[in-house]
Amino acid sequence: MSNLVKLLLGLIVAVLIISVSYLIKPILFEVSNKLMESERFVTVRGVAEREVMANHILFELKVSTLVDDIINESSKYEQNCQKAQAFMLAKGIGAQDIAMRSLEVFTNRRKDIPKNLVTCNLVVSTSKVLKARELLSSLDSLVKEGISVKVYEYQIAYGYTKLNDIKPSMVEEANKNAKDAALVFAKHSNATLGKIKQARQGLFSMQDGRRPELIKVRVVTQVDYYLKN
Amino acid sequence: MKNLTFLMIALLIASSMVVSAFMLKPELLVVAENYLNNKRTVVTKGLAEREVKADRVKIPLNIALRTNNLVETSKELADIKKRIMFYVKEANISESEVSFYALNTLEHVYEYDKGAKYTINLNGTIDTANIQGANKFIASTKAMLAEGINLGIGFNEVSYTFNGLNELKPQMIEESVNNAYKVAKQIAQNSESNIGKIKFANQGLFTISDTLIDDIKLVRVVTTITYYLED
């Protein structure tokens, strides 16, 4: 009796071994296919570009006055500085957006002009970009009054602070653009695109736009798509 | 009797192992072959190049006037602006595409810079998609110079750009893929095998570079493709 039980147990083990290998059969096949497929992918890049209106501007306006005597002729440069300030206010820049820095005095190296060049620095930091632009392009009306003003192009900083708002839709656009490129490869190989294996969002960059107040925002994404067929 | 039972059990298990080994043999062979085939590849590169017309141009406008009298010269400056606008219109460029973005009056405070007391510098740009108009405007700088207006456009300061890459992209990739395929096919022929599916492909970077002609740009991409080789 106990021998028969042992024999039966042996039989069960034998059957189990065979059925396990029977079960493993297709899985082995599948695993090797999957391993192969995991190495099949296409790397593509997609770009999204958008031109946005700057929502902040920062620049420095210098007002210079030539005077012989800094103390007795102080009204001269003070007047010029005030005129420039009044001009800014008239152009719609709020008083709270204008900051005045300390005066600069330069002793002229030339003998045939007044001895000193006194410069007052007005720093404008405002969200009224269009009004500031208008101001900058009409600076010659200050010159017309005989006031020497300086705004250097490289010192005008345009800013855009809403990058986070446009980020998702731009990344989406770049990904779609990348997918279009991936489809070209798939078509060539009679394959279909599978899932995304890996995606890398590049850095957002800002460049000069078509007009000074426009900023070109750009992003490149790199996407690896699986190929299936 | 007891020994015989053990023997039989051992025999049963042993034979089941043999059977399963036979069952798994073809699959294991396929797996091994897959593995081997997976290593059999050919890597090729395909180039696509295209010359395109620039679709945007930026012309710097820099005016410098030396003067002793700011008030008088500012009137002259206004006249010069008007004349520039005249030529802008003449070239069919929209006025809104011209911006004057900065102005500075520089005092000449050094001995070596004697003569005029000030220099008024006005900076601006024309940024337009009208290439033809821009070229016409550039050609008219000669006439402006005759009127005494020097825009100070230096060598290589006019910048042409091409922005239509996205429309061009799919067809250029296709072209580069076809080129890569041709090479792969040649290699396969030499080794008496066939080209299979794409194993791996990399689109590569698109580059836009200058040509000898200002308003013509060269768009270029090199695609790398790894194909399976089949017998």
Side-chain angles (χ1 to χ4, degrees):
Chain A
M1 189 61 197
S2 85
N3 271 352
L4 198 66
V5 173
K6 278 175 193 162
L7 211 63
L8 262 170
L9 275 174
L11 201 71
I12 288 166
V13 172
V15 168
L16 271 177
I17 288 173
I18 291 176
S19 48
V20 162
S21 57
Y22 184 77
L23 282 172
I24 284 176
K25 230 172 115 121
I27 294 169
L28 267 177
F29 196 65
E30 189 78 352
V31 166
S32 87
N33 269 350
K34 279 267 156 68
L35 275 176
M36 253 179 94
E37 261 174 28
S38 76
E39 284 183 39
R40 291 193 65 205
F41 64 95
V42 54
T43 303
V44 285
R45 289 180 182 83
V47 66
E49 270 176 349
R50 208 165 289 182
E51 210 167 44
V52 294
M53 179 84 183
N55 60 7
H56 191 264
I57 183 170
L58 173 75
F59 66 89
E60 194 177 36
L61 188 138
K62 292 171 186 271
V63 184
S64 306
T65 315
L66 288 163
V67 290
D68 272 317
D69 190 326
I70 299 173
I71 299 160
N72 290 326
E73 290 181 277
S74 67
S75 66
K76 258 193 183 176
Y77 53 77
E78 271 166 16
Q79 228 172 48
N80 281 345
C81 199
Q82 271 159 21
K83 271 186 191 168
Q85 240 173 320
F87 180 70
M88 284 181 179
L89 293 172
K91 283 286 172 190
I93 309 288
Q96 72 281 1
D97 291 342
I98 308 168
M100 207 200 285
R101 290 215 187 125
S102 63
L103 286 174
E104 277 172 50
V105 180
F106 182 83
T107 311
N108 294 333
R109 307 285 193 269
R110 224 175 116 178
K111 298 287 174 284
D112 59 339
I113 58 170
K115 229 159 84 192
N116 299 296
L117 181 66
V118 182
T119 304
C120 90
N121 295 313
L122 296 166
V123 178
V124 177
S125 171
T126 179
S127 56
K128 292 173 184 164
V129 178
L130 281 179
K131 288 204 165 128
R133 280 286 313 138
E134 211 176 293
L135 163 78
L136 288 170
S137 54
S138 58
L139 284 175
D140 40 352
S141 47
L142 277 174
V143 183
K144 220 171 267 174
E145 290 180 48
I147 302 172
S148 164
V149 292
K150 295 180 185 63
V151 174
Y152 295 105
E153 177 206 342
Y154 58 85
Q155 280 179 343
I156 309 174
Y158 294 91
Y160 183 69
T161 53
K162 298 220 172 102
L163 191 60
N164 278 339
D165 295 352
I166 58 167
K167 211 178 136 176
S169 67
M170 280 191 72
V171 170
E172 199 184 324
E173 195 184 317
N175 284 347
K176 203 183 154 282
N177 188 252
K179 196 172 181 178
D180 286 344
L183 285 169
V184 177
F185 287 97
K187 199 181 130 202
H188 171 77
S189 181
N190 286 325
T192 51
L193 286 188
K195 296 177 197 162
I196 289 179
K197 184 185 182 209
Q198 191 179 44
R200 265 154 292 182
Q201 179 218 306
L203 285 174
F204 272 83
S205 69
M206 291 188 178
Q207 299 163 344
D208 290 345
R210 284 174 295 166
R211 289 202 303 277
E213 68 271 23
L214 295 177
I215 298 173
K216 197 174 176 185
V217 184
R218 191 173 192 272
V219 69
V220 177
T221 58
Q222 188 178 323
V223 186
D224 294 349
Y225 279 101
Y226 281 118
L227 288 172
K228 288 195 303 194
N229 56 343
Chain B
M1 191 61 198
K2 210 176 179 184
N3 277 348
L4 197 68
T5 313
F6 277 123
L7 208 65
M8 276 190 71
I9 290 169
L11 212 67
L12 257 173
I13 293 176
S15 55
S16 75
M17 278 176 167
V18 172
V19 168
S20 59
F22 267 107
M23 277 173 75
L24 288 178
K25 193 182 160 183
E27 269 64 40
L28 281 171
L29 281 177
V30 168
V31 168
E33 209 184 313
N34 269 353
Y35 181 77
L36 273 176
N37 283 341
N38 205 27
K39 300 274 163 193
R40 290 194 62 207
T41 54
V42 53
V43 183
T44 54
K45 283 176 199 293
L47 166 76
E49 245 177 359
R50 207 158 293 184
E51 277 188 354
V52 293
K53 196 106 174 121
D55 57 9
R56 202 144 194 105
V57 60
K58 203 172 206 158
I59 306 169
L61 304 171
N62 297 307
I63 297 149
L65 301 171
R66 282 170 81 93
T67 177
N68 277 317
N69 189 326
L70 286 181
V71 180
E72 249 171 53
T73 313
S74 70
K75 282 173 198 153
E76 195 187 322
L77 191 67
D79 284 341
I80 289 175
K81 264 183 164 178
K82 260 184 221 154
R83 288 306 290 162
I84 291 174
M85 282 314 198
F86 168 78
Y87 283 105
V88 163
K89 252 185 232 162
E90 193 89 319
N92 276 324
I93 297 168
S94 148
E95 266 179 63
S96 66
E97 291 177 321
V98 183
S99 355
F100 289 103
Y101 46 75
L103 181 138
N104 61 79
T105 52
L106 191 78
E107 283 82 4
H108 294 283
V109 293
Y110 291 96
E111 197 67 37
Y112 62 77
D113 215 5
K114 259 180 166 173
K117 231 158 127 185
Y118 303 96
T119 297
I120 305 181
N121 292 300
L122 179 69
N123 311 116
T125 56
I126 300 176
D127 195 324
T128 179
N130 180 359
I131 305 290
Q132 216 182 347
N135 288 342
K136 194 175 168 195
F137 180 83
I138 293 165
S140 65
T141 51
K142 214 172 146 189
M144 277 183 249
L145 208 56
E147 291 180 30
I149 303 168
N150 181 7
L151 290 182
I153 302 172
F155 178 67
N156 262 353
E157 275 187 56
V158 178
S159 78
Y160 293 87
T161 49
F162 176 70
N163 301 287
L165 187 60
N166 275 350
E167 288 86 69
L168 216 61
K169 218 175 128 179
Q171 25 170 317
M172 281 192 69
I173 291 177
E174 206 176 325
E175 195 182 315
S176 65
V177 169
N178 286 339
N179 283 339
Y181 183 68
K182 266 184 218 158
V183 179
K185 222 172 163 186
Q186 188 61 47
I187 294 171
Q189 254 170 33
N190 293 347
S191 74
E192 282 166 8
S193 43
N194 290 316
I195 290 299
K197 303 174 203 166
I198 290 180
K199 182 184 182 190
F200 174 75
N202 192 334
Q203 177 211 301
L205 277 178
F206 272 88
T207 58
I208 302 174
S209 52
D210 291 339
T211 61
L212 288 173
I213 305 159
D214 283 340
D215 52 0
I216 305 282
K217 296 274 163 184
L218 185 71
V219 184
R220 196 172 189 273
V221 69
V222 177
T223 297
T224 310
I225 304 183
T226 307
Y227 286 100
Y228 284 117
L229 278 177
E230 289 168 355
D231 283 324

